Amino acid sequence: MKTDNRYFKGIPVIQYEGKDSKNPLAFRHYNARQKVGRKTMEEHLRFAVAYWHSFGGTGSDPFGMPTRSLPWSTAKDPVQRGYDKMDAAFEFIAKMGIPFYCFHDYDLVEEGDTLKQSEERLQKLVEYARKKQKETGIKLLWGTANLFSHPRYMNGAATNPDFHVVCHAAAQVKHAIDATVELGGTNYVFWGGREGYLSLLNTDMKREQEHMARFLHMARDYGRKHGFKGTFLIEPKPMEPSKHQYDFDAATVIAFLREFDLIHDFKLNIEVNHATLANHTFAHELQVAANAGLLGSMDANRGDYQNGWDTDQFPNNVIELTEAMLVLLGAGGLKTGGINFDAKVRRNSTDPVDLVYAHIGGMDAFARALLAAQAILEDGEYTSLRKKRYASFDTGKGKQFANGKLSLEDLQQLAKRNGDPESISGRQEYFENLLNRFC
Ligand code: XUL
Ligand code: CO
């Protein structure tokens, strides 16, 4: 594919060269067209680049100023800056061979002084994105609205105690849904970083959650009326920036969707580091979503085992990813969703090529995990060992219990008759070794 060569000069289109390659600018495992089971790797993994970290991240942190300059951010006019940023984004995404991208409204173009100005700017960039998508074949995985950066959202967006702020949030969501529909996005995400509270003393939690549900119903109705056929996604996170976020984890979000009758239009976007912040594993969160039939999409990154905050590092742990891929393949794989790299290079990774290494590493790690998980499932021992642990429910009284045919008294009688159960090993280490064999 022909690509621009303006912002990532000297970076070639990244090719698959196989696992023995020593070329740092090549994939060693991700081979887009390679079949894994019935689908190609590209179809399984559906990778996406996150616009905000990759083209907006300057390396600044709460203690320090930017470490990276963004050469696409120098024009005087904000709309021109948006066009330049988009040129950089599409150049990078095309060179990586990544099929999708994701954005917040104000990643595409900076917010204006008024809502009207913001809307006009966004429309210009959507027009430009449409052209770029057509030229490159790159598609939109999801759009979203940034309802957390501006000071107006310091007390929440849809859950703000001030109705005027809720209206402003609604306007932004309307524009962002319009942009997503216009660009053929297959998902629309809600991540509610400020939908929560800092202190319960000044917060009517019940009322705020009812408002959030009302808001999501309105967004759903608007989207459906205006041609959005894809999936609405909620991205759970327990905290940061709020002390307590309402979308704490997968189980909390599922209960919320059920309580407020949103279960048919919404699924979950599970993020690795959000899972670990909630004291869960990534695989656990995926499994909880999958069990409810609500596994929609993933935000791929990783946390740091020593830090308790959202470090958003690129994925590199093949064993953990294999556990995740086992859950995903078991749930039938991704449908409208994908694997979005919601990850950023470190503050001291200051060269454009570092962003390339980061994505190559993440894609190769996921490719290895996909291959390992597929091989484990094809081998069959893992599945049959796990199934065997529950064999006592497959026949006889165990089966009757599972089918609701027995009472508590029946179980008491059986316990008396059978005596103390023998101890049966859970064989965790054997399972771990089995996994290791394929990674
Ligand atoms: C924040 C986060 C967001 C969402 C989109 O932790 O993950 O970038 O993915 O708003
Ligand atoms: Co995210």
Side-chain angles (χ1 to χ4, degrees), residues 208-336:
E208 290 198 2
Q209 287 189 299
E210 283 164 5
H211 291 171
M212 189 159 88
R214 174 77 57 218
F215 189 95
L216 294 176
H217 270 272
M218 292 164 87
R220 189 269 322 267
D221 292 346
Y222 177 80
R224 292 299 180 227
K225 207 163 103 197
H226 289 84
F228 180 65
K229 297 196 174 60
T231 314
F232 290 98
L233 295 168
I234 294 195
E235 184 178 320
K237 184 175 182 181
M239 66 192 113
E240 202 200 328
S242 299
K243 174 188 154 46
H244 187 107
Q245 201 170 304
Y246 292 137
D247 301 326
F248 191 94
D249 62 1
T252 312
V253 172
I254 291 166
F256 174 87
L257 293 175
R258 286 209 175 105
E259 179 177 354
F260 292 103
D261 193 22
L262 289 159
I263 206 101
H264 301 296
D265 294 275
F266 283 77
K267 286 195 163 76
L268 273 63
N269 183 36
I270 303 292
E271 176 161 329
V272 186
N273 206 169
H274 297 180
T276 43
L277 287 176
N279 274 331
H280 299 308
T281 61
F282 182 40
H284 169 88
E285 287 292 84
L286 293 173
Q287 190 68 64
V288 170
N291 291 349
L294 297 179
L295 178 47
S297 204
M298 294 184 192
D299 267 11
N301 55 27
R302 74 178 203 271
D304 180 299
Y305 290 121
Q306 282 74 49
N307 289 345
W309 67 87
D310 201 9
T311 60
D312 282 341
Q313 290 164 249
F314 274 83
N316 75 347
N317 188 327
V318 177
I319 299 258
E320 279 181 12
L321 293 178
T322 304
E323 291 189 39
M325 292 312 289
L326 278 173
V327 178
L328 181 70
L329 293 181
L334 293 163
K335 305 279 180 327
T336 63

Side-chain angles (χ1 to χ4, degrees), residues 52 104 142 144 148 189 191 235 237 271 274 299 310 342:
W52 50 104
H104 301 85
W142 51 260
T144 187
F148 45 88
V189 165
W191 170 66
E235 184 178 320
K237 184 175 182 181
E271 176 161 329
H274 297 180
D299 267 11
D310 201 9
D342 194 356

